[in-house]
Amino acid sequence: MKNKHILEVKNLTKVYKGEGYEVTALNDISFQLRVGEMVAIMGTSGSGKSTLLNILGALDEPTTGTIKLNGVCSKDMFQEPQASVYRRDNVGFIFQSFHLLKDLSVEENIALPLVLKGIKEDAIDSKVEKIINLMGLTSWRKHRPVQLSGGQQQRVAIGRAIVTEPPIILADEPTGNLDFNTSEDILNTLVSTKKQLNQSILLVTHDPNVATYADRVLFFHDGSIVDTYNCKGNNDLDDILEKFKLITKPEKQTL
Amino acid sequence: MRTIQGVALRLFKANKFIVFSSILSIAISTMLVLSMMLFSINAQDTLKNQLKQSYGEMDLSVGFNMDQSDVLTPKLVESIDRVKKVDKVSKVSIAHLNLNKLDSAIYTVGVENDYLAKSRYHFTKYLDKESVVMNKGLAKALHAKIGDKFLIENKEYTLVETVNDLTVTGAAPDMLFLNQKVVKKYIQTKQNNNAEATYLLIKAKKGVNPFTLSNELKSYNKHLRIDIAEQDYGMKSNLQSLHIFIVVLSVLVLIVTSLIIISNFELLLYKMRNQFAIMRSLGASTKQISKIITIQSTVINIAGICLGFILAFFSQRNLYKLVAKLLNIPTTPSEFSIGAAVSIAILAFIVIQLFLIIPAYRSTKVLPLKTMEKNEKLNFSYSKARVTVFKVLVGISLFLIICSQVLPTRETYGPAMLLISVVFVLLGFVLIFPILLPKVLEWFLPYGQKLFGQEFYISIKNLIPQVRKNTTIILMISSLMMIAVFGSVTLRTIQVGQQDQLKENYATPILVETRLNNTKINPVEFTKVVEELPDVKSVSNFSTLGLAYLQEEGKNINIDYAVVDLKRLQTQGLISKFRNKLADNSLIISERFAKQNHLKVGQTVQLGEFSEPKQAVEPNGSYIVTSIEKKMLNGADAYLDWSNRGLMDVDFYSLYVESNHIKSAVSELEALKSQYPEIKVSNYEESAKEADKMFYQRWGIFILVIATLVVSTMVGVFNSLVNNIYSKRKEFAVLRAMGVTPKGLRKVILSQVNLYIIIGLIIGVIMGLLTTFILLLVDPGKFVIDYKIIIAVSLSMLVGSTFIFWFVGNKISSQELSNELTNDNK
């Protein structure tokens, strides 16, 4: 099961067309994500990382290419209302700015995806309870986001993302707004969640430190995957840094 | 919060002020609409009940006066009973019988035991030949109780019931009620006649006009006196038109309220937009978001309607008293018709809920977070299409307006065409103004800067990109102003028109008209009867209009003629003195008709009449044009005298009566109603007074409604504007960081807010005047603008906004600058 591919991306291209100009944000991308694997996507600004995440979350439509999730490739997945259903059933989002609903409490924020999915009320309670315990938020369950620290808010966001047990989690710079210690805490939470729930995670970051928590790193440059790295578990940081420096200076790059 | 409904209500709680102000707006409008509608229904019901109290179920009563020699013989009664139009006849005999105990003659009414008599005299018990009923006043004087026996004309009767005193004329006469046969026998014996009854209470069959029936009954004996049970005609017609006025106002109130609620929901949507965008990213469908808004709007609507209903229920007692006193309309405050109130409340709910589909639809436009544009969508979509549609709508409107004035079918279809053109103009305006307005503001920018300073320039610059977002605010204010202008101009124009119309109608101070279409009144005879009245100075008669044809050069030209008494008309000065002598075939024509057909005084013309058997116009004779009049009464093209005998296909229509003592003359004429029940007596003074009274009744209601709408709109508009201002706190902080003083910032805020209001007011005035002008083309005449209302509404809004936003501006400019600069405002 662990070696099974949960996500297969083939020849994905995204071209933005405007008045008299064309921008290729993604250029013939292909990769797979295994069950229970955390893959970090690294690249400079404008390399196509966010575009990839948007497309995988059915928030944007590719120009060409296919996406198979759990072996299923749906042609209509980018049109409404199928796009909403796809997000609801298959994707958990973790945002850099947390994006919790400010008027709802911690447990209500976590319960929200279940409510949207139409899960029965008693089932919602038990699932929410499980996640609150997993995230260590028991004392904060009735608090609203404005009463929490950044780290706590991101835990709530993680809890919200995993409560429906989606096939994949898409995390966009999850530690971007956090200090070093809190970032570590969050990343450890993500790794632990991945292990406990066998969760597949795609994580976008520009921080090599963050990338070391992943199982694998994909390096993006100008819309293409230019390099990959399989994390060994130690001394990954230097290797990742090295590869990252190379992609930021393309004239010196050697593959 | 385990369901979508739960999410909807949960998000609700976080926006208490918007929710509360929306509920309050609906509650105030519901209370206003309910109070007005129930007041009107109650007033009409009160009038009906008053009628029933006075007359019971009868439609008319028939009999002879005591001083007349005729009596209602058994044969006559039978004939009347057999009339097809009559449903029920109840005999009543009147006498004065001696009550032994008091040794005095008491007014005694002999009645039958049927519903007509019981409803007329309000007794319930069966009256046999030994029973008596008396009024409570008499029973009290006699210390009588039910079961007591009394001698009346030395015969014993048992008291079976007492009834309330009949205070018809103020004084309450003592009355005894006995079985009709008893009283009839007494009268027949005493007066030695075969009177079957003194008078008959008659119920007409359903659908029968009492005036037509009275005409028919008169044919059995022309001396019969007939009283028709009718409501005060003037009051009845006033209440009917008041009801229509109130219905129209109520609809307008609901429309303005809906706009206020939509604006509040725009605000709510804007505040919750980020949260909705997050939910969309989590997989919420557009349907689920729309459901949330729909649930919230339904809850607000229901809460508002219920609160308004309760407020109307508890305030109605005091409100009715106040309004009835102000408007001089009788009502019975204890009657709160729950059925009618619930129906009206449900209708109001439906109207508002239909409008709330708009914010529900707009909520479906919220995009998921990642694809949401960071800057709000500033430009209108489909600008070119809007301009095109606007041009088409205005083009169609103009075409319809022209058609409504020139087409031959304009009498029938004209009003509908004008109404459609108004709707199109308004629609076109709603489409185009958000595109035009920024251009107008850009043009105004340099002038505004010179006139009002730098802060004003900043305000306009800020305002231009926000036009789309604040369309609803501007629409709310302009709708309010439109209603104020339309209502006030229409009412004032109608008032002036009515005054002019009255002057035209009342060629003489008193007018006597028939209410029947095919009256049997002989005009010449009737004129003589009226002339003999002591306070009548002079009288002339006028017929209905007949249709003849001026036969000229093989053509038949329509001519509407009236048959009149030319001499009498001349005496009264209603036509000019003739140069030539009057002949039987004298023809007086209007100046307009003379010009159209090139006719002169002294000219002989051939007139014809349409013959039904021959289906063609047959010559009727030659007539001499004796005079050409500038103005003709009742729209006639020509007058002929009764002596002409040729063209007589007309009926009696009216009498023009002059008098030096108008009040007495009117009373004398009113007394003739018993002989001629179908007549209507009106005088200019009373009519003018009534018209004024009616106008001020409507004006009073209109002012009440406008005042309430101004308050509601102010709450809605200011709420939206406050949130608008607060959402820009970061921008204001940046301005302060760049050196704008607190005073300058207040000026920026006040300029912006007042600019919105002024734009709304100007647009409202223009659209209001345009709408009114188009609609008044139905009956072109004077167009009277009430500047006081326009100024009052404008001042209320501007003073209110200046007052509130002075405080808001103060508050914002006193906040900690560093906090304001980092505030997210989401």
Side-chain angles (χ1 to χ4, degrees):
Chain A
M1 181 70 173
K2 198 167 178 179
N3 289 321
K4 185 190 168 191
H5 290 130
I6 189 81
L7 176 71
E8 288 178 63
V9 175
K10 252 186 183 169
N11 308 116
L12 203 67
T13 302
K14 176 69 186 180
V15 179
Y16 290 106
K17 285 185 184 169
E19 268 186 54
Y21 70 89
E22 237 179 53
V23 173
T24 306
L26 288 176
N27 190 7
D28 201 29
I29 303 287
S30 297
F31 70 94
Q32 294 96 24
L33 181 68
R34 288 190 292 271
V35 172
E37 185 185 23
M38 183 152 89
V39 169
I41 297 175
M42 279 196 76
T44 51
S45 235
S47 58
K49 315 189 293 293
S50 294
T51 308
L52 175 65
L53 232 56
N54 284 349
I55 291 173
L56 293 177
L59 297 169
D60 200 352
E61 193 173 350
T63 311
T64 56
T66 57
I67 295 167
K68 253 190 204 174
L69 189 68
N70 262 331
V72 176
C73 172
S74 169
K75 281 182 189 169
D76 301 325
M77 65 178 273
F78 300 103
Q79 314 304 325
E80 289 292 347
Q82 292 89 329
S84 296
V85 173
Y86 170 82
R87 281 195 293 279
R88 202 174 60 205
D89 295 345
N90 297 298
V91 178
F93 275 106
I94 303 171
F95 301 103
Q96 182 177 348
S97 304
F98 327 131
H99 286 313
L100 301 176
L101 266 63
K102 65 177 176 65
D103 295 323
L104 303 183
S105 66
V106 164
E107 59 184 1
E108 286 167 345
N109 264 288
I110 293 172
L112 189 57
L114 296 170
V115 172
L116 294 174
K117 209 170 171 177
I119 302 290
K120 279 191 185 144
E121 289 174 40
D122 35 10
I124 290 176
D125 287 339
S126 58
K127 284 180 190 283
V128 167
E129 192 61 39
K130 181 181 161 192
I131 298 297
I132 282 177
N133 290 333
L134 192 65
M135 293 294 121
L137 293 165
T138 316
S139 314
W140 306 93
R141 61 194 306 147
K142 300 289 182 193
H143 286 68
R144 288 194 294 122
V146 74
Q147 296 165 312
L148 305 175
S149 67
Q152 286 166 331
Q153 287 188 58
Q154 198 61 297
R155 281 177 185 280
V156 177
I158 293 170
R160 182 181 67 187
I162 62 175
V163 74
T164 53
E165 296 165 28
I168 54 167
I169 300 287
L170 302 176
D172 187 3
E173 307 266 13
T175 58
N177 282 359
L178 304 172
D179 59 58
F180 181 76
N181 288 333
T182 315
S183 296
E184 258 199 350
D185 186 37
I186 290 301
L187 289 164
N188 284 325
T189 306
L190 271 176
V191 169
S192 140
T193 304
K194 181 200 77 155
K195 282 179 181 162
Q196 284 184 56
L197 302 177
N198 219 17
Q199 192 70 66
S200 310
I201 304 174
L202 208 60
L203 181 149
V204 162
T205 183
H206 65 277
D207 186 344
N209 274 307
V210 171
T212 61
Y213 285 81
D215 299 310
R216 190 158 49 107
V217 183
L218 299 176
F219 294 92
F220 271 59
H221 181 69
D222 280 347
S224 303
I225 298 174
V226 295
D227 205 351
T228 62
Y229 178 77
N230 291 321
C231 295
K232 297 182 288 267
N234 48 21
N235 293 327
D236 289 318
L237 181 59
D238 292 333
D239 295 334
I240 290 169
L241 256 171
E242 190 63 42
K243 285 189 181 281
F244 191 56
K245 276 179 189 167
L246 275 174
I247 65 164
T248 53
K249 288 173 187 175
E251 63 273 19
K252 291 182 183 174
Q253 185 181 1
T254 54
L255 274 169
Chain B
M1 200 208 82
R2 305 285 180 258
T3 56
I4 289 289
Q5 291 91 311
V7 174
L9 295 173
R10 188 67 188 81
L11 290 174
F12 227 21
K13 286 183 199 169
N15 292 287
K16 290 191 182 77
F17 185 76
I18 292 177
V19 168
F20 175 72
S21 68
S22 301
I23 292 174
L24 194 65
S25 293
I26 296 178
I28 291 170
S29 306
T30 306
M31 183 180 132
L32 194 64
V33 167
L34 271 175
S35 299
M36 286 196 302
M37 294 286 289
L38 289 176
F39 175 81
S40 172
I41 292 169
N42 187 298
Q44 293 190 62
D45 284 346
T46 300
L47 207 64
K48 278 189 201 143
N49 289 338
Q50 277 176 351
L51 184 75
K52 234 185 182 151
Q53 190 64 24
S54 305
Y55 294 104
E57 293 289 336
M58 76 171 204
D59 289 318
L60 42 87
S61 67
V62 159
F64 295 100
N65 279 348
M66 299 287 201
D67 55 348
Q68 287 174 296
S69 53
D70 288 320
V71 294
L72 281 169
T73 59
K75 194 180 171 194
L76 180 56
V77 171
E78 203 183 340
S79 307
I80 289 171
D81 199 7
R82 278 212 222 107
V83 169
K84 277 191 185 154
K85 291 187 174 85
V86 168
D87 184 42
K88 172 94 183 135
V89 171
S90 178
K91 290 179 264 190
V92 177
S93 293
I94 304 290
H96 285 81
L97 300 188
N98 194 53
L99 180 61
N100 289 40
K101 195 167 180 182
L102 289 178
D103 193 24
S104 63
I106 305 288
Y107 185 82
T108 308
V109 184
V111 290
E112 296 191 292
N113 287 296
D114 57 37
Y115 73 92
L116 285 179
K118 284 182 176 174
S119 64
R120 174 78 176 84
Y121 296 107
H122 311 293
F123 68 94
T124 56
K125 296 281 185 239
Y126 182 82
L127 271 171
D128 61 26
K129 287 183 181 171
E130 277 99 34
S131 304
V132 65
V133 170
M134 64 176 68
N135 62 298
K136 284 190 160 91
L138 180 58
K140 197 175 174 188
L142 294 170
H143 306 289
K145 57 182 190 300
I146 308 297
D148 286 353
K149 294 196 191 310
F150 293 93
L151 284 172
I152 301 169
E153 293 290 337
N154 297 318
K155 200 178 162 221
E156 197 175 72
Y157 296 91
T158 309
L159 182 66
V160 297
E161 190 180 352
T162 57
V163 294
N164 289 331
D165 298 337
L166 289 175
T167 50
V168 171
T169 53
D174 289 333
M175 291 169 89
L176 294 169
F177 297 91
L178 296 173
N179 186 289
Q180 197 264 339
K181 287 192 169 76
V182 167
V183 181
K184 177 181 89 175
K185 197 176 173 187
Y186 173 82
I187 293 170
Q188 283 175 342
T189 311
K190 195 119 192 237
Q191 293 174 11
N192 197 24
N193 62 28
N194 65 340
E196 185 65 16
T198 310
Y199 58 84
L200 307 172
L201 307 176
I202 295 178
K203 182 78 180 168
K205 283 213 166 91
K206 208 174 177 182
V208 168
N209 184 332
F211 296 107
T212 316
L213 176 58
S214 79
N215 242 15
E216 192 171 330
L217 294 176
K218 264 265 183 185
S219 65
Y220 287 94
N221 188 315
K222 62 178 183 181
H223 296 128
L224 270 174
R225 296 295 186 239
I226 302 177
D227 281 312
I228 299 178
E230 55 168 347
Q231 297 163 3
D232 177 336
Y233 183 78
M235 178 70 87
K236 184 178 170 185
S237 110
N238 176 25
L239 285 180
Q240 279 171 347
S241 64
L242 187 71
H243 188 72
I244 294 169
F245 180 74
I246 281 174
V247 168
V248 169
L249 266 184
S250 301
V251 170
L252 292 173
V253 165
L254 288 176
I255 289 172
V256 172
T257 306
S258 303
L259 283 174
I260 293 170
I261 306 304
I262 288 173
S263 167
N264 277 353
F265 265 89
E266 294 280 298
L267 206 60
L268 200 67
L269 205 62
Y270 188 70
K271 283 187 147 199
M272 293 199 299
R273 212 166 71 140
N274 203 50
Q275 297 185 87
F276 283 153
I278 294 168
M279 284 170 66
R280 291 278 279 121
S281 308
L282 300 178
S285 65
T286 54
K287 214 171 161 184
Q288 285 173 317
I289 302 292
S290 166
K291 193 174 175 184
I292 289 171
I293 290 289
T294 305
I295 289 167
Q296 291 174 338
S297 64
T298 308
V299 167
I300 285 176
N301 201 1
I302 291 174
I305 297 278
C306 289
L307 181 63
F309 189 94
I310 292 166
L311 285 172
F313 180 79
F314 284 111
S315 69
Q316 58 96 18
R317 214 174 273 269
N318 297 319
L319 213 64
Y320 274 24
K321 260 192 219 154
L322 178 70
V323 177
K325 200 176 167 193
L326 268 170
L327 304 183
N328 198 18
I329 293 175
T331 62
T332 43
S334 55
E335 317 246 352
F336 183 86
S337 172
I338 297 278
V342 167
S343 309
I344 296 164
I346 289 172
L347 264 169
F349 171 83
I350 292 169
V351 168
I352 295 174
Q353 199 63 26
L354 283 172
F355 274 89
L356 290 176
I357 291 173
I358 297 171
Y361 170 73
R362 284 167 89 107
S363 71
T364 64
K365 303 292 177 194
V366 174
L367 294 169
L369 202 61
K370 282 238 157 208
T371 53
M372 193 175 82
E373 288 149 11
K374 290 280 182 218
N375 291 321
E376 286 127 36
K377 199 169 169 191
L378 294 176
N379 295 318
F380 273 94
S381 44
Y382 314 114
S383 297
K384 279 192 185 148
R386 280 171 180 262
V387 173
T388 311
V389 172
F390 165 74
K391 286 178 182 167
V392 167
L393 287 172
V394 167
I396 297 174
S397 280
L398 278 169
F399 174 72
L400 286 172
I401 291 170
I402 293 167
C403 286
S404 74
Q405 299 303 297
V406 304
L407 281 184
T409 49
R410 61 184 178 274
E411 295 280 318
T412 324
Y413 298 112
M417 285 188 213
L418 287 170
L419 197 63
I420 294 170
S421 69
V422 161
V423 170
F424 278 11
V425 160
L426 290 174
L427 268 174
F429 155 76
V430 167
L431 283 173
I432 203 67
F433 100 85
I435 293 168
L436 267 181
L437 189 59
K439 292 187 180 151
V440 169
L441 289 172
E442 284 281 5
W443 168 84
F444 185 63
L445 209 49
Y447 306 103
Q449 188 180 4
K450 278 193 189 128
L451 282 167
F452 303 108
Q454 206 58 19
E455 290 87 1
F456 189 77
Y457 176 86
I458 295 168
S459 301
I460 299 196
K461 268 297 199 186
N462 242 290
L463 202 145
I464 291 170
Q466 303 289 319
V467 164
R468 182 186 188 273
K469 199 172 111 190
N470 294 303
T471 304
T472 324
I473 295 176
I474 296 172
L475 268 178
M476 262 177 1
I477 301 169
S478 45
S479 302
L480 170 72
M481 201 43 152
M482 248 182 68
I483 293 171
V485 168
F486 173 68
S488 64
V489 170
T490 306
L491 283 175
R492 285 279 180 210
T493 303
I494 289 172
Q495 183 195 28
V496 169
Q498 249 178 1
Q499 284 167 352
D500 291 343
Q501 184 68 39
L502 273 175
K503 282 190 188 133
E504 214 180 282
N505 284 350
Y506 283 91
T508 51
I510 304 173
L511 212 58
V512 179
E513 295 165 301
T514 174
R515 278 190 258 193
L516 271 182
N517 278 336
N518 301 311
T519 178
K520 291 189 170 56
I521 292 179
N522 182 309
V524 176
E525 268 178 35
F526 189 42
T527 308
K528 286 199 179 114
V529 166
V530 168
E531 203 171 37
E532 278 161 20
L533 294 172
D535 284 306
V536 167
K537 186 175 153 194
S538 69
V539 59
S540 63
N541 55 49
F542 207 93
S543 74
T544 52
L545 291 181
L547 180 63
Y549 297 87
L550 174 68
Q551 293 182 302
E552 202 175 69
E553 293 162 4
K555 283 188 279 181
N556 288 321
I557 299 161
N558 283 12
I559 179 168
D560 290 321
Y561 69 91
V563 183
V564 300
D565 188 321
L566 284 172
K567 272 206 187 102
R568 286 173 185 274
L569 229 57
Q570 203 177 35
T571 312
Q572 286 186 318
L574 295 179
I575 47 175
S576 45
K577 294 236 180 295
F578 306 126
R579 272 187 258 148
N580 305 326
K581 205 180 165 187
L582 270 176
D584 287 351
N585 64 343
S586 284
L587 185 72
I588 317 296
I589 55 173
S590 69
E591 197 177 60
R592 185 189 61 85
F593 190 82
K595 266 193 185 143
Q596 269 174 0
N597 300 287
H598 315 291
L599 299 173
K600 289 192 180 74
V601 174
Q603 196 172 336
T604 303
V605 295
Q606 291 295 325
L607 295 182
E609 228 179 348
F610 187 78
S611 161
E612 284 289 344
K614 291 186 181 169
Q615 284 294 302
V617 175
E618 290 288 302
N620 187 277
S622 49
Y623 294 83
I624 305 165
V625 178
T626 310
S627 171
I628 294 174
E629 293 290 314
K630 269 207 167 87
K631 229 176 135 186
M632 301 283 272
L633 297 168
N634 298 330
D637 293 324
Y639 297 155
L640 290 154
D641 195 87
W642 288 105
S643 58
N644 88 85
R645 303 270 168 241
L647 291 168
M648 297 287 275
D649 189 18
V650 292
D651 293 316
F652 167 74
Y653 180 64
S654 60
L655 292 181
Y656 292 99
V657 181
E658 292 263 13
S659 170
N660 293 327
H661 308 284
I662 292 178
K663 264 194 179 141
S664 335
V666 167
S667 306
E668 286 160 17
L669 287 162
E670 288 280 351
L672 287 179
K673 268 186 178 171
S674 53
Q675 269 178 281
Y676 302 94
E678 65 187 77
I679 61 170
K680 186 176 78 160
V681 181
S682 36
N683 70 82
Y684 175 75
E685 253 178 59
E686 274 305 309
S687 298
K689 244 192 235 171
E690 266 305 306
D692 264 350
K693 191 171 109 179
M694 268 170 57
F695 168 77
Y696 284 111
Q697 277 173 359
R698 280 145 188 71
W699 189 251
I701 292 174
F702 175 71
I703 295 298
L704 184 69
V705 166
I706 284 295
T708 311
L709 281 180
V710 165
V711 169
S712 287
T713 308
M714 272 166 62
V715 168
V717 164
F718 293 165
N719 185 28
S720 298
L721 287 173
V722 163
N723 281 282
N724 198 314
I725 297 293
Y726 271 111
S727 71
K728 292 194 222 165
R729 281 161 69 175
K730 202 164 187 171
E731 293 164 30
F732 294 133
V734 168
L735 286 174
R736 280 170 65 197
M738 288 181 349
V740 174
T741 61
K743 190 180 173 186
L745 193 66
R746 262 202 317 274
K747 206 174 162 188
V748 168
I749 290 170
L750 279 172
S751 302
Q752 209 163 73
V753 159
N754 284 332
L755 207 56
Y756 273 123
I757 292 173
I758 289 168
I759 290 168
L761 291 172
I762 291 173
I763 290 171
V765 168
I766 294 170
M767 296 314 295
L769 287 174
L770 192 61
T771 306
T772 316
F773 176 74
I774 293 172
L775 287 175
L776 285 178
L777 284 173
V778 170
D779 192 11
K782 268 190 218 169
F783 186 77
V784 182
I785 300 174
D786 192 315
Y787 294 102
K788 281 191 214 153
I789 287 282
I790 296 174
I791 292 168
V793 171
S794 307
L795 273 178
S796 311
M797 295 218 70
L798 288 169
V799 166
S801 69
T802 306
F803 183 72
I804 288 170
F805 287 93
W806 192 87
F807 283 106
V808 169
N810 248 6
K811 190 176 173 191
I812 289 178
S813 42
S814 60
Q815 297 295 310
E816 193 65 55
L817 188 52
S818 52
N819 282 344
E820 294 290 288
L821 282 168
T822 50
N823 200 342
D824 200 17
N825 293 332
K826 277 190 181 161

